[in-house]
């Protein structure tokens, strides 16, 4: 989570060309709701240095409004 972008040219030992766009948690959760989904749960965790991660991660579980909870 956060703002800005992150560019990778190497990932898990392979040459890549990836740009990740980082978003704030509230913006992601707002987008989930605006898409007509009901937020069931979300989890935010810090970076895992053992995996060379430098950013926080946000995981969201959502379902269609009126769907399973």
């Amino acid at each position: 989570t956060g703002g800005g972008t992150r560019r990778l040219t190497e990932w898990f030992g392979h040459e890549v060309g990836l740009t990740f766009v980082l978003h704030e948690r509230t913006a992601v959760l707002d987008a989930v709701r605006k898409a007509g989904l009901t937020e069931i749960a979300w989890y935010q965790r810090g970076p895992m240095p053992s995996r060379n991660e430098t950013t926080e991660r946000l995981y969201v579980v959502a379902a269609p409004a009126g769907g399973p909870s």
Side-chain angles (χ1 to χ4, degrees):
T1 59
T5 60
R6 182 170 176 226
R7 174 113 172 101
L8 292 182
T9 56
E10 186 273 331
W11 200 15
F12 297 106
H14 298 278
E15 187 176 322
V16 297
L18 296 172
T19 301
F20 293 90
V21 179
L22 307 177
H23 301 280
E24 296 293 337
R25 176 179 47 91
T26 54
V28 173
L29 296 177
D30 286 345
V32 166
R33 292 182 200 109
K34 286 179 183 175
L37 300 172
T38 300
E39 165 194 328
I40 295 173
W42 61 266
Y43 173 71
Q44 187 171 351
R45 69 162 174 83
M48 297 179 83
S50 63
R51 293 176 49 173
N52 295 322
E53 295 176 359
T54 59
T55 59
E56 292 185 347
R57 307 299 164 107
L58 175 68
Y59 303 94
V60 179
V61 178
S69 57

